[in-house]
């Protein structure tokens, strides 16, 4: 039963160790899982971050690509540069009549930087947009931006949507400028400003006023370039069928022209010519707007013979900067069914004259009404390639989008990519934290495994030590109890032989020998606990008196006990060990001391117990008998033996009363 209790206690100790390890692991995980507060997404779950990333990727796949154009073109507008960013620069665009507007798009001027690649150059940091009319000459602020809006860095346009406002002009006022990489000074620079009424860009080719003009010697930077319809991008919708450009060799052709029947009469007001895509070779082998005539007349009519023709516009292109991927020309709204493009001055290459377009759009109320219709040529068909591509609604990169839809998608792409970068940074931090946690858990698992192995080994060692201790106690109990009893039996038998002449005394001695023999048999069966061997230790002083009379019946002795009340508080095992130690001392005195008197003093104090046994015999020398050493070790007591000057031997046993001790010793040793 004692061993079962010991194993249970050991198991609880191991469980406590494993519990501490698990608690440390949990605390480590909880501590490492404390989220960062550096980003708005830091409080979102990992699943939410991953799902948002997937949603962004799915939406990005449906948006137009931010593809930079090549070749020559206008550079937009740039104000006079200055040395300080805190000054006001403004731009005003008038379209002369009140129109409902609901979106303004600002296209940044783009500059290629050696380390960061393409970046907006001179885009304002803090600015506001004001819309006004003749009825509202002071205007109304419809949007304002500051540095906290983090518009930079970017290469995409900024689209500002708002509830429809009736206006005849808009004004951009910049109060905090950014540094231009051209001269490292501060200026307001933009490539294009678009003002949308529905799908129509009513700012196209409208009058422009500026606070200062920093054109200088550049022929490609001027205020009118803000509304020429040219942007730094190629329309790359990244969806829909790809279509090659239509190319015609018109070398030697008299009055080449393209004619289209729209099927019905439409009020036309805009022509868009999509140029042949610039080659992607290095160096380029085609220039911007290759194949688009330098001089062209556009006529509209209600009759197929153009007998009622009306001149819609006369287009003249001044090389080399007034070119681009999309050439937009507005004209007064005119009802037309038939449209004719007549080439007055063709584009001439090194050897041939060319007429080339990726697409021709005729717009009525911002809708391309020429899509799906076929152009007819005034020259033989064998000189023309892919005439159907002129009105199939696609370019080399896919579907041709409405301008408003296109710039909205570019702006949306920038917003999503910026958001995705923040989420990707947060995910990277989370994954790194998970990796650290995994490493920590790996180490904790290894520690737990090592701790388990250690606990098992410790339990095994404790079990072995416990078995050895049980064996030692068993041997000590047998030796001390049986040795004393056998020695007493021998003494009684000697006394019985000497008293044969007195039958009554001999019979009494034989009866005592018989009783002691029976008690010895009982002690053999219950040597681990003398309490089961008759309960004689309920009264330790009485048991000590009886042992003295049995073992040293012919010796005089004195027995003094102090603190009997404290002795009763000792555990039975401790009282038993004290009694057996005392009996072994009496046996040694009987066998070796040759004394005629001995004394015993047992003192029980609050902290210590002291047992002193002295005789007047010949002494046993300085060497402590092994049986006494063993019993003192079981008691965890200090044992000394000395020979006083008066002669004889003095045995001193002193042990401390331990009111608390580790649980692993609780069952091995009695509480003192």
């Amino acid at each position: 039963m004692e061993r079962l209790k010991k194993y249970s206690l050991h198991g609880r100790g191991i469980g406590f160790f494993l519990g501490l390890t698990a608690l440390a692991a949990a605390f480590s995980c909880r501590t490492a899982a404390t989220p960062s507060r550096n980003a708005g997404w830091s409080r979102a779950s990992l699943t939410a971050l991953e799902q948002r990333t997937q949603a962004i990727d799915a939406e990005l796949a449906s948006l137009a690509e931010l593809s930079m154009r090549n070749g020559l073109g206008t550079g937009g507008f740039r104000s006079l540069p200055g040395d300080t960013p805190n000054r006001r620069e403004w731009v005003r665009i008038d379209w002369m009549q009140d129109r409902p507007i609901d979106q303004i798009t600002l296209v940044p001027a783009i500059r290629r930087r050696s380390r960061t690649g393409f970046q907006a150059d001179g885009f304002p940091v803090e600015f506001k947009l004001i819309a006004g009319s003749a009825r509202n000459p002071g205007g109304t602020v419809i949007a304002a931006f500051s540095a906290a809006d983090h518009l930079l860095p970017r290469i995409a346009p900024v689209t500002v949507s708002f509830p429809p406002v009736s206006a005849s002009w808009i004004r951009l006022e910049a109060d905090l400028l950014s540094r231009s990489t051209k001269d490292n000074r501060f200026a307001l620079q933009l490539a294009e400003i678009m003002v949308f009424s529905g799908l129509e860009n009513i700012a196209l080719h409208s009058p422009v006023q500026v606070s200062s003009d920093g054109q200088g010697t550049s022929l490609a930077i001027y205020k009118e370039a803000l509304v020429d319809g040219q942007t730094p991008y190629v329309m790359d919708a990244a969806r829909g069928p790809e279509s090659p450009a239509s190319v015609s060799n018109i070398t030697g052709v008299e009055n080449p022209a393209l004619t289209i029947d729209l099927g019905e009469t439409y009020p036309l007001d805009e022509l868009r010519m999509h140029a042949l895509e610039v080659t992607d070779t290095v160096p380029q082998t085609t220039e911007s707007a290759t194949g688009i005539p330098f001089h062209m007349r556009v006529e509209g009519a209600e009759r197929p013979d153009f007998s009622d023709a009306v001149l819609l516009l006369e287009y003249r292109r001044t090389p080399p900067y007034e070119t681009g991927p999309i050439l937009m020309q507005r004209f007064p709204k005119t009802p037309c069914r038939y449209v004719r493009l007549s080439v007055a001055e063709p584009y001439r290459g090194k050897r041939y004259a060319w007429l080339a377009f990726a697409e021709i759009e005729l717009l009525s109320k911002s809708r391309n009404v020429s899509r799906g219709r076929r152009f007819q040529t005034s020259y033989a068909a064998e000189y023309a390639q892919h005439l159907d591509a002129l009105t199939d609604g696609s370019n080399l990169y896919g579907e041709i989008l409405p301008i408003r839809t296109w710039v909205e998608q570019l702006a949306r792409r920038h917003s999503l990519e910026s958001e995705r970068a923040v989420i990707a940074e947060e995910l990277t931090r989370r994954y790194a934290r998970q990796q650290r946690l995994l490493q920590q858990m790996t180490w904790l698992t290894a520690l737990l495994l090592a701790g388990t192995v250690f606990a098992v080994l410790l339990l095994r060692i404790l079990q072995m030590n416990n078995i050895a201790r049980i064996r030692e106690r068993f041997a000590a109990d047998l030796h001390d109890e049986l040795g004393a009893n056998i020695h007493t039996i021998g003494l009684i038998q000697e006394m019985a032989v000497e008293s044969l002449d007195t039958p009554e005394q001999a019979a009494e001695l034989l009866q005592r020998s018989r009783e002691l023999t029976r008690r010895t048999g009982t002690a053999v069966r219950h040597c681990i606990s003398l309490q089961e061997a008759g309960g004689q230790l309920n009264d330790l002083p009485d048991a000590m008196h009886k042992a003295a009379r049995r073992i040293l019946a012919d010796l005089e002795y004195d027995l003094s006990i102090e603190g009997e009340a404290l002795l009763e508080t000792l555990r039975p095992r401790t009282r038993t060990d004290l009694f057996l130690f005392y009996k072994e001392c009496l046996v040694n005195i009987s066998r070796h001391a040759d004394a005629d008197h001995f004394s015993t003093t047992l003192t029980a104090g609050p902290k210590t117990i002291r047992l002193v046994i002295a005789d007047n015999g010949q002494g046993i020398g300085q060497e402590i008998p092994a049986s006494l050493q063993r019993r003192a070790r079981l008691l965890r007591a200090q044992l000394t033996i000395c020979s006083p000057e008066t002669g004889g031997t003095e045995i001193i046993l002193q042990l401390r009363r331990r009111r608390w001790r580790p649980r692993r010793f609780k069952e091995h040793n009695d509480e003192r």
Side-chain angles (χ1 to χ4, degrees), residues 432-451:
R433 188 179 67 195
Q434 283 187 340
Q435 184 66 28
R436 291 195 301 270
L437 288 178
L438 180 60
Q439 292 176 353
Q440 291 175 1
M441 290 305 299
T442 300
W443 282 107
L444 286 173
T445 301
L447 177 62
L448 182 61
L449 180 61

Side-chain angles (χ1 to χ4, degrees), residues 290-301:
T290 295
I292 293 182
F294 290 109
H295 184 194
M296 180 177 63
R297 293 170 56 88
V298 181
E299 299 171 297

Side-chain angles (χ1 to χ4, degrees), residues 8 18 52 66 103 128 210 285-286 361 387 407 444 482 488 556 600 611 614 624:
S8 175
L18 299 182
R52 180 56 184 159
L66 264 169
Q103 187 181 93
K128 57 187 175 183
V210 295
T285 56
T286 53
E361 295 183 278
L387 276 178
V407 294
L444 286 173
L482 299 184
T488 303
E556 295 181 0
T600 301
L611 176 63
I624 302 175

Side-chain angles (χ1 to χ4, degrees), residues 199 235 272 361 366 399-407:
L199 293 177
M235 183 175 286
R272 293 178 186 169
E361 295 183 278
S366 304
E399 180 183 357
I400 293 176
L401 303 172
I403 299 300
R404 175 169 176 165
T405 302
W406 176 44
V407 294

Side-chain angles (χ1 to χ4, degrees), residues 567-640:
L567 289 176
E568 294 178 359
T569 64
L570 295 178
R571 294 178 61 87
R573 181 74 264 175
T574 304
R575 292 200 301 269
T576 300
D577 285 342
L578 276 174
F579 177 67
L580 292 177
F581 179 86
Y582 176 67
K583 286 179 65 176
E584 183 62 19
C585 290
L586 297 184
V587 171
N588 284 325
I589 292 173
S590 173
R591 288 178 176 175
H592 310 295
D594 194 18
D596 56 12
H597 181 273
F598 73 94
S599 64
T600 301
T601 302
L602 176 60
T603 305
K607 296 183 178 180
T608 60
I609 296 174
R610 181 182 176 88
L611 176 63
V612 179
I613 303 171
D615 64 65
N616 60 354
Q618 61 182 1
I620 60 173
Q622 298 300 319
E623 184 178 353
I624 302 175
S627 59
L628 296 182
Q629 291 181 353
R630 178 171 54 199
R631 183 60 62 182
R633 185 168 58 251
L634 291 174
L635 280 167
R636 295 186 176 275
Q638 182 179 359
L639 174 64
T640 57

Side-chain angles (χ1 to χ4, degrees), residues 289-344:
T290 295
I292 293 182
F294 290 109
H295 184 194
M296 180 177 63
R297 293 170 56 88
V298 181
E299 299 171 297
E302 294 284 337
R303 299 175 183 176
D305 60 357
F306 283 85
S307 58
D308 59 343
V310 176
L311 181 64
L312 301 179
L313 67 92
E314 188 165 1
Y315 171 73
R316 293 180 182 273
R317 179 164 68 92
T318 302
Y321 298 110
E322 294 181 2
T323 60
I326 307 175
L327 302 177
M328 305 179 191
Q329 296 295 316
R330 298 180 66 193
F331 49 85
K333 189 174 296 183
T334 306
C336 303
R337 173 174 177 174
Y338 300 95
V339 177
R340 180 171 61 198
L341 285 71
S342 302
V343 178

Side-chain angles (χ1 to χ4, degrees), residues 257-403:
L258 295 172
T259 305
I260 189 171
D261 179 5
L262 300 178
E264 59 180 287
T265 299
Y266 294 98
L268 304 180
D269 58 1
E270 186 174 346
L271 169 69
R272 293 178 186 169
M273 297 174 287
H274 294 258
L276 176 72
E277 287 79 12
V278 177
T279 60
D280 54 2
T281 60
V282 179
Q284 295 171 191
T285 56
T286 53
E287 63 183 53
S288 300
T290 295
I292 293 182
F294 290 109
H295 184 194
M296 180 177 63
R297 293 170 56 88
V298 181
E299 299 171 297
E302 294 284 337
R303 299 175 183 176
D305 60 357
F306 283 85
S307 58
D308 59 343
V310 176
L311 181 64
L312 301 179
L313 67 92
E314 188 165 1
Y315 171 73
R316 293 180 182 273
R317 179 164 68 92
T318 302
Y321 298 110
E322 294 181 2
T323 60
I326 307 175
L327 302 177
M328 305 179 191
Q329 296 295 316
R330 298 180 66 193
F331 49 85
K333 189 174 296 183
T334 306
C336 303
R337 173 174 177 174
Y338 300 95
V339 177
R340 180 171 61 198
L341 285 71
S342 302
V343 178
E345 183 183 350
Y347 172 87
R348 296 184 181 277
K350 187 174 183 180
R351 292 181 294 173
Y352 305 105
W354 297 97
L355 186 61
F357 299 95
E359 183 82 6
I360 296 177
E361 295 183 278
L362 292 166
L363 275 66
S364 174
K365 299 179 181 178
S366 304
R367 184 171 69 91
N368 178 19
V369 296
S370 63
R371 183 167 181 171
R373 302 291 176 174
R374 182 180 174 85
F375 274 95
Q376 302 296 324
T377 65
S378 63
Y379 44 88
E382 59 264 23
Y383 293 105
Q385 298 179 357
H386 308 297
L387 276 178
D388 292 340
L390 286 173
T391 54
D392 62 359
S394 299
N395 61 12
L396 187 61
Y397 307 102
E399 180 183 357
I400 293 176
L401 303 172
I403 299 300

